[in-house]
Amino acid sequence: MFEFYFTGAVLLLMMSLLTLEIAKPEIIIPSTLMVFVMSGIISVKEAVSGFSNEGMLTIGLLFIIAGTIQKSGIVDKLFQSLLKRSFSTKKALIRLLPPISLLSAFINNTPIVIAFTPIIKKWCEDHNLSPSKFLIPLSYATILGGMITLIGTSTNLVVHGLLLENGQKGFAFFELAKVGIPITVIGLFYLIFLAPYLLPDSMPKSLKEVNSLREFTGEAMITKDFPHLQKTIREAKLRNLKGLFLVSIIRNGEPIAPVSNSSTLLEGDRLIFTGDITTFADLQQNRGLELQSSIGEDFPKKHKLVEVVISHHSPLLHKKIKETNFRSRYDAAVIAVHRQNHRLKTKIGDTILKPGDILLLVAGQDFSKRTDSNDFYFTSEHSRIINSLNDGRTGLYAVILLGLMISLVTFGIFPMVSAMAVTAVILTLFKMVNPKEIKDFIQWDVLLIIACSFGIGYALTNSGVASFIADLLIKSTAPIGVLAIIICVYLLTNIFTEMMTNSAAAVLMFPIVMEVATTMSVSPSALAVAVAIAASASFATPIGYQTNLIVYGPGGYRFIDFLKAGLPLSFLTMITTSILIYFFWM
């Protein structure tokens, strides 16, 4: 009984830490695995089993292939041409979403959303349309498309690998399409014809106005040249700055907040402002106000403003900006920070970075060269890298090669992991991708999380927690029927995936559904399909899936916008998936 209660307590602690974002998942999940090994819940062999799992290895190889295609810019050009012939929200969605979903069935959806977010924002600026009508549908369409094939999402491959490890057949390449295609069609219909009515419509006249809808926090220091030393806030007219609000004063390391109009200004005071992104640069024009983290006196003549989003996998996560060596690391400096629904009152350097934080940077000429693909999600059109003709050819060759390998897998000539390995080797041998790019393309932290999650799945089984949850699930739903069990499995997985990474949710649920399948004498593949789809179908919150986080800031969304647009889609996906599983696998 000790193992049962100990495992349950550790898992609850792990989920709490993941939900509250106390630390990065790649720290929390491996640490949990080590606790289980040290306590004897699982063996060392079980702990490391995930590192040799076929699904995990295939995901790593797919990162290389998708990265090669993405860097070529071939996908960007295709969708820019589609947008050129669209002049209204509905027509643009009709032209954009179906091909985006189709592309997501074969390429990781994160780089797709990263690529199209600035393109769509620029197009909306030119046509006086609101990006908020497009960016959530963009994210949701890629999630839906990823459910069509075995390689559409990492979750599908993880569940496939778990099935193989448990002596099951695993998924055929297009097996999930029996569910994936219908829910994608239904989902696209919803996103094109119904979702726009549920999404906000700010109708900006320019991209500048879209950015000004968000409040950034910036910092300026008072120097000896400030003409209003020893004067009050009112006398210095710091309450009348256009688009900016003085939140607090940092004096000798201590914050003064709220700031009254009678507060006296001293040399060395650090003023914390919040407000319009476009006004922070103007602070530099005030004599004696030194914008913190600016680069030189020639701002912004020799540098560009770049807006980036901190990614789920950034090495900067949970660190103070001043501890990251940001300027020397990236040839850029942070001049403002935006965090949804929070007015930051700390100094810029003391801000602890979290996933989804938007940074306004002053970037030098080497910024693009020093930035790895996992550090940021770019949201500024001017920060994008121009691709050469040679890159375009490389992308085309990579697409053709991927298509050939998919055909060989579909007809059973090659196993999945072998096909992806051959593709990656050919790309390397013909110098379509170099070793440094391979290192950057592979999201090592994602692979670590997935590999460690397998060991945690063993802990669920060994301790009896999996069978306990399975028994509860069966007792509460068996009298209603098998369809109710499928719906419950889907719902529980979907709740888990909103709290943690989708792959971790799938691995945690897998031993539970295997127990259910054995007890109820139903097909393990049927319940595995429910887990795979539910773990990816994160529509209700911006934090459950990384593509939602990418569009969160650029679309000017609030948390409730995801609930309003995502809950109906979550319900449609759950009901459709459950019925189709019952029809095809039961």
Side-chain angles (χ1 to χ4, degrees):
M1 288 301 290
F2 167 76
E3 291 184 348
F4 175 84
Y5 289 112
F6 180 79
T7 302
V10 172
L11 285 173
L12 285 174
L13 177 61
M14 181 191 78
M15 289 190 287
S16 299
L17 294 175
L18 288 169
T19 304
L20 297 173
E21 296 181 348
I22 301 299
K24 292 196 284 187
E26 55 267 34
I27 294 175
I28 295 170
I29 292 177
S31 299
T32 304
L33 183 69
M34 290 303 299
V35 170
F36 286 139
V37 172
M38 293 170 66
S39 62
I41 304 293
I42 58 174
S43 66
V44 174
K45 182 179 179 181
E46 289 171 330
V48 300
S49 62
F51 291 90
S52 61
N53 181 269
E54 181 177 316
M56 195 275 293
L57 295 174
T58 307
I59 293 165
L61 294 167
L62 279 170
F63 281 141
I64 301 171
I65 300 165
T68 305
I69 295 171
Q70 176 60 30
K71 74 160 186 172
S72 70
I74 188 172
V75 176
D76 303 34
K77 293 172 185 175
L78 169 64
F79 286 96
Q80 279 177 329
S81 65
L82 287 174
L83 280 170
K84 283 179 182 177
R85 296 191 292 273
S86 303
F87 301 99
S88 70
T89 299
K90 188 176 292 184
K91 286 182 179 178
L93 289 173
I94 290 172
R95 296 183 68 88
L96 271 177
L97 298 190
I100 282 175
S101 290
L102 180 62
L103 187 66
S104 297
F106 303 98
I107 300 177
N108 186 281
N109 53 11
T110 301
I112 295 174
V113 176
I114 293 172
F116 296 137
T117 295
I119 295 173
I120 289 173
K121 285 181 68 178
K122 180 65 169 63
W123 182 82
C124 288
E125 176 191 4
D126 295 340
H127 293 83
N128 198 30
L129 295 171
S130 173
S132 60
K133 297 290 187 184
F134 292 87
L135 295 182
I136 278 181
L138 167 69
S139 175
Y140 290 176
T142 62
I143 294 172
L144 290 166
M147 301 173 188
I148 295 174
T149 69
L150 179 56
I151 64 171
T153 71
S154 59
T155 314
N156 297 348
L157 284 163
V158 167
V159 176
H160 170 72
L162 285 165
L163 284 169
L164 294 176
E165 196 167 284
N166 281 267
Q168 302 296 320
K169 187 179 178 182
F171 297 137
F173 190 85
F174 285 107
E175 186 172 359
L176 292 169
K178 290 183 280 189
V179 173
I181 291 176
I183 61 177
T184 299
V185 171
I186 292 170
L188 290 179
F189 183 89
Y190 166 80
L191 293 173
I192 293 168
F193 297 104
L194 298 177
Y197 296 104
L198 301 174
L199 293 169
D201 187 4
S202 55
M203 289 300 293
K205 293 183 180 178
S206 69
L207 190 60
K208 182 183 289 187
E209 291 183 21
V210 175
N211 286 331
S212 70
L213 295 173
R214 299 197 300 273
E215 286 190 341
F216 280 78
T217 300
E219 177 186 345
M221 186 175 73
I222 295 178
T223 69
K224 63 181 180 180
D225 299 324
F226 189 59
H228 303 293
L229 288 176
Q230 304 295 333
K231 292 184 180 180
T232 65
I233 296 292
R234 182 185 291 108
E235 291 170 334
K237 298 181 179 180
L238 291 180
R239 289 295 192 202
N240 302 321
L241 294 173
K242 182 182 177 183
L244 290 177
F245 174 75
L246 181 60
V247 177
S248 64
I249 299 173
I250 309 294
R251 182 174 294 164
N252 298 322
E254 296 294 325
I256 301 172
V259 181
S260 70
N261 287 331
S262 58
S263 297
T264 304
L265 297 168
L266 304 178
E267 181 183 347
D269 282 353
R270 292 175 177 264
L271 309 181
I272 308 299
F273 292 97
T274 185
D276 183 351
I277 176 178
T278 61
T279 1
F280 277 102
D282 297 337
L283 283 175
Q284 190 87 337
Q285 309 305 318
N286 291 281
R287 186 162 60 93
L289 276 186
E290 185 178 286
L291 190 63
Q292 295 303 287
S293 293
S294 62
I295 306 180
E297 298 179 356
D298 56 352
F299 170 82
K301 295 177 183 177
K302 294 185 179 180
H303 299 86
K304 60 183 178 181
L305 280 176
V306 177
E307 186 182 332
V308 298
V309 180
I310 296 293
S311 78
H312 277 88
H313 317 296
S314 176
L316 308 176
L317 283 179
H318 310 294
K319 295 179 182 177
K320 292 182 179 180
I321 292 176
K322 67 182 180 183
E323 297 171 350
T324 62
N325 298 318
F326 203 97
R327 192 179 305 188
S328 59
R329 186 172 189 165
Y330 296 111
D331 188 29
V334 182
I335 63 169
V337 181
H338 167 69
R339 181 173 296 159
Q340 287 288 346
N341 302 322
H342 291 282
R343 176 170 283 179
L344 305 178
K345 296 183 180 181
T346 59
K347 294 165 57 178
I348 291 296
D350 290 333
T351 301
I352 299 175
L353 296 173
K354 294 185 177 182
D357 282 354
I358 305 176
L359 309 184
L360 182 63
L361 308 179
V362 182
Q365 296 177 351
D366 291 335
F367 174 69
S368 297
K369 298 176 184 176
R370 297 187 189 180
T371 305
D372 289 335
S373 58
N374 291 337
D375 294 351
F376 310 111
Y377 303 132
F378 288 95
T379 62
S380 303
E381 176 69 20
H382 50 263
S383 69
R384 296 173 57 74
I385 301 170
I386 298 173
N387 299 288
S388 67
L389 180 62
N390 195 44
D391 286 333
R393 290 198 192 99
T394 297
L396 183 60
Y397 295 150
V399 169
I400 294 171
L401 192 58
L402 178 61
L404 176 62
M405 289 302 165
I406 287 172
S407 301
L408 294 174
V409 172
T410 304
F411 291 107
I413 299 173
F414 267 11
M416 173 62 66
V417 67
S418 301
M420 296 304 110
V422 169
T423 305
V425 168
I426 293 174
L427 292 174
T428 306
L429 287 177
F430 286 89
K431 297 183 178 179
M432 298 184 215
V433 61
N434 60 53
K436 183 185 182 303
E437 288 172 332
I438 290 175
K439 181 177 74 70
D440 292 340
F441 290 155
I442 296 176
Q443 296 179 16
W444 300 101
D445 49 353
V446 174
L447 297 183
L448 177 64
I449 291 168
I450 293 171
C452 291
S453 296
F454 281 87
I456 294 172
Y458 276 114
L460 275 168
T461 303
N462 295 351
S463 64
V465 172
S467 58
F468 175 76
I469 298 174
D471 287 340
L472 279 179
L473 196 152
I474 292 167
K475 287 176 182 177
S476 60
T477 57
I480 307 173
V482 177
L483 184 59
I485 291 177
I486 297 171
I487 292 174
C488 278
V489 166
Y490 184 102
L491 197 56
L492 190 56
T493 308
N494 205 231
I495 292 170
F496 278 170
T497 203
E498 297 290 3
M499 297 167 56
M500 62 187 78
T501 67
N502 50 354
S503 295
V507 172
L508 286 176
M509 280 299 297
F510 190 83
I512 297 171
V513 300
M514 287 297 290
E515 292 281 350
V516 172
T518 302
T519 305
M520 296 292 294
S521 299
V522 298
S523 167
S525 295
L527 298 182
V529 171
V531 168
I533 300 296
S536 294
S538 177
F539 304 118
T541 72
I543 59 175
Y545 207 92
Q546 57 193 12
T547 58
N548 292 345
L549 190 63
I550 296 168
V551 302
Y552 191 6
Y557 296 117
R558 297 174 300 161
F559 193 96
I560 196 171
D561 293 323
F562 285 86
L563 283 173
K564 286 162 62 177
L567 282 178
L569 184 57
S570 293
F571 179 77
L572 285 171
T573 305
M574 180 179 70
I575 297 302
T576 306
T577 299
S578 301
I579 293 171
L580 290 171
I581 289 173
Y582 185 81
F583 179 79
F584 283 115
W585 280 275
M586 293 298 180

